């Protein structure tokens, strides 16, 4: 503390903090004059942990890089290995991967909605959203055997085929969500108190988005329709019909509206996957685990997570290990380049709202 300012730590125990991170804040009354991000040490060092394990052993680690949405990590890792090894993934496996990724996006947006509602003090929203998310976790458990960590998207395809009754359960879930989302509009997105708390808060400039490499709802809320699924299609996204929602205000409310619209698009994609899902193998023929070697070479793969573009650089050296792995998630620029200046001049009560609106996952930073 110096002069008229006081220093406090906002998190990691604060319920409005996204994950195990903390903001060191210098306050002049309720106004923030300086903000410094501390990302914590719960999950860290993933890249070196993976490089010191065989590819098959590393497969079980990558999902920890972002707990709220682990599946893009699994898909990037598997696709990178496939490109290095020249493995061809069946159409059925690609459609199943899209299904998993879009379910992951839906549950991640519901978890975000729960956090944002709780940060405002709108307690019915987190109760509803967490309950809705649990129905998606039930599906994950039926498909993969796990609710949060799935370890399902595997090099060469997926670990096992879909349950026979999965289409029926997924259709029922999508019908339930479509019926529930207008209720979220009524009590949250169209709520005058919510608009008063979010509109004009945490405003991001479109030019800054391009200059600093921001991603996901942050850039789409500034009117930039950037999405890896459209810009550099992977799996079978180029065969599916969906839109990229955008807003122009660039504030926390615009980012909320983008996420809300993306939930509609994920439901739209999932219905198409159910209609077009082909028969066929769910896994290609792989070498025996003892002979699983990654040829020399390099590749970079990326996917669109709920938080934005998520990329993996991978280099093989002819052994069972990767010579180099580097993960590039959106959180590193959102938590430092963006969050710190956004908080300067903001009110203490808005810290959690701004942080949640950016979609930060701390282990992506300390990876």
């Amino acid at each position: 503390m110096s002069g008229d300012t006081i220093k406090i730590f906002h998190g990691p125990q604060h319920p409005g903090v996204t994950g195990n991170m903390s903001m060191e804040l210098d306050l002049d009354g309720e106004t923030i004059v300086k903000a410094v991000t501390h990302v914590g040490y719960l999950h860290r060092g993933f890249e070196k942990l993976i490089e010191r394990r065989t590819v098959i052993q590393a497969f079980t680690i990558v999902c920890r890089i972002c707990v709220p949405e682990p599946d893009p990590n699994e898909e990037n890792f598997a696709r990178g290995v496939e490109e290095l090894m020249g493995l061809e993934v069946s159409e059925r496996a690609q459609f199943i991967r899209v299904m998993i990724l879009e379910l992951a996006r839906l549950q991640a947006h519901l978890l975000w909605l729960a956090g944002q509602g709780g940060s405002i003090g709108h307690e019915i929203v987190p109760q509803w959203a967490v309950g809705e998310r649990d129905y998606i976790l039930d599906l994950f458990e039926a498909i993969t055997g796990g609710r949060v960590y799935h370890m399902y998207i595997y090099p060469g395809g997926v670990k096992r085929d879909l349950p026979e009754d999965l289409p029926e359960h997924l259709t029922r879930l999508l019908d339930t969500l479509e019926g529930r989302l207008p209720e979220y509009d009524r009590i949250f997105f169209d709520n005058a108190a919510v608009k008063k708390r979010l509109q004009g808060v945490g405003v991001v400039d479109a030019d800054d988005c391009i200059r600093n490499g921001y991603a996901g709802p942050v850039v789409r809320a500034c009117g930039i329709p950037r999405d890896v699924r459209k810009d550099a299609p992977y799996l079978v996204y180029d065969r599916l019909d969906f839109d990229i929602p955008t807003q122009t205000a660039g504030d926390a409310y615009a980012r909320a509206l983008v996420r809300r619209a993306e939930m509609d698009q994920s439901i739209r994609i999932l219905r198409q996957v159910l209609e077009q899902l082909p028969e066929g193998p769910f896994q290609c023929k792989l070498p025996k685990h003892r002979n699983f070697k990654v040829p020399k070479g390099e590749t970079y793969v990326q996917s669109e997570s709920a938080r934005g573009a998520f990329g993996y650089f991978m280099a093989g050296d002819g052994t069972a290990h990767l010579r180099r792995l580097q993960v590039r998630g959106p959180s590193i620029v959102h938590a430092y380049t963006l969050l710190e200046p956004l908080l300067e001049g903001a009110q203490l009560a808005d810290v959690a709202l701004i942080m949640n609106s950016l979609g930060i996952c701390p282990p992506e930073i300390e990876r």
Side-chain angles (χ1 to χ4, degrees):
M1 187 169 77
S2 62
D4 294 329
T5 65
I6 184 172
K7 186 185 295 293
I8 70 167
F9 281 84
H10 187 278
Q13 79 290 343
H14 192 284
V17 171
T18 55
N20 55 295
M21 65 182 288
S22 173
M23 297 305 300
E24 180 184 344
L25 305 175
D26 290 347
L27 297 175
D28 181 1
E30 292 287 316
T31 303
I32 300 165
V33 295
K34 184 180 179 182
V36 178
T37 302
H38 298 278
V39 295
Y41 302 101
L42 177 61
H43 292 118
R44 65 196 304 250
F46 291 103
E47 294 173 354
K48 293 305 172 188
L49 286 171
I50 290 170
E51 289 169 13
R52 283 158 176 75
R53 286 160 174 78
T54 67
V55 169
I56 298 302
Q57 291 170 334
F59 159 72
T60 62
I61 298 176
V62 293
C63 52
R64 271 82 177 173
I65 294 176
C66 185
V67 180
E69 193 189 14
D71 304 281
N73 286 283
E74 292 186 18
E75 200 280 329
N76 275 342
F77 184 79
R79 186 151 44 95
V81 171
E82 289 154 5
E83 289 194 7
L84 289 172
M85 297 186 66
L87 299 174
E88 187 171 343
V89 180
S90 71
E91 276 196 352
R92 182 173 180 82
Q94 292 186 56
F95 271 97
I96 293 173
R97 286 183 177 185
V98 170
M99 179 188 295
I100 296 295
L101 291 175
E102 294 306 316
L103 284 171
R105 191 183 317 279
L106 275 173
Q107 65 83 28
H109 284 337
L110 285 168
L111 192 60
W112 161 83
L113 180 58
Q116 199 71 314
S119 297
I120 295 174
H122 197 333
E123 294 303 326
I124 192 65
V125 172
Q127 292 180 36
W128 282 12
V130 169
E132 233 80 64
R133 177 176 178 262
D134 262 2
Y135 292 131
I136 299 177
L137 301 190
D138 288 344
L139 274 187
F140 277 136
E141 186 175 15
I143 296 169
T144 72
R147 295 181 69 80
V148 178
Y149 294 138
H150 306 135
M151 290 169 277
Y152 178 70
I153 298 178
Y154 192 74
V158 293
K159 286 288 285 183
R160 63 184 185 188
D161 208 348
L162 298 173
E164 289 185 4
D165 59 354
L166 188 278
E168 175 188 346
H169 290 301
L170 179 53
T171 300
R172 188 183 308 126
L173 170 68
L174 298 179
D175 291 342
T176 300
L177 284 176
E178 278 190 326
R180 177 68 94 175
L181 286 173
E183 290 294 304
Y184 286 111
D185 292 337
R186 183 176 62 83
I187 68 169
F188 185 82
F189 295 98
D190 296 336
N191 187 312
V194 171
K195 291 181 181 180
K196 190 173 182 63
R197 288 300 309 276
L198 295 181
Q199 287 178 338
V201 172
V203 178
V204 180
D205 181 72
D207 291 336
D208 286 341
C209 289
I210 297 171
R211 181 165 50 249
N212 296 314
Y214 304 149
V218 173
V219 300
R220 293 192 282 275
C222 295
I224 305 172
R226 182 175 292 172
D227 190 303
V228 179
R229 294 172 297 174
K230 289 285 191 181
D231 300 337
Y234 54 100
L235 299 177
V236 291
Y237 277 111
D238 57 347
R239 295 162 57 177
L240 302 171
D241 184 25
F242 61 99
D243 300 321
I244 306 301
T246 60
Q247 292 286 321
T248 56
D251 57 12
Y253 186 65
R255 294 190 281 276
L257 292 179
V258 167
R259 289 185 172 93
R260 167 63 183 88
E262 287 182 2
M263 296 172 76
D264 287 333
Q265 296 305 314
S266 287
I267 292 172
R268 181 179 172 188
I269 290 171
L270 285 165
R271 291 197 185 280
Q272 292 176 68
V273 168
L274 285 176
E275 292 172 2
Q276 300 180 32
L277 184 65
E279 296 295 329
F282 60 89
Q283 176 67 266
C284 72
K285 185 174 177 59
L286 295 172
K288 298 288 187 183
H289 286 186
R290 290 181 178 274
N291 299 321
F292 202 102
K293 292 182 172 56
V294 181
K296 290 183 179 180
E298 299 177 352
T299 189
Y300 181 78
V301 296
Q302 61 177 338
S303 61
E304 185 71 28
S305 73
R307 298 167 314 286
F310 208 99
Y312 270 47
F313 169 79
M314 303 172 72
D317 62 358
T319 70
H321 296 72
L322 291 172
R323 176 178 60 81
R324 184 71 179 98
L325 174 81
Q326 187 169 13
V327 180
R328 199 282 187 188
S331 296
I332 192 165
V333 286
H334 290 177
Y336 286 102
T337 313
L338 180 54
L339 179 59
E340 291 181 352
L342 271 187
L343 291 181
E344 292 182 11
Q347 296 297 296
L348 178 61
D350 293 334
V351 172
L353 305 182
I354 295 172
M355 186 185 300
N356 274 317
S357 76
L358 301 181
I360 297 168
C361 195
E364 286 177 24
I365 305 166
E366 278 284 279
R367 81 268 182 233

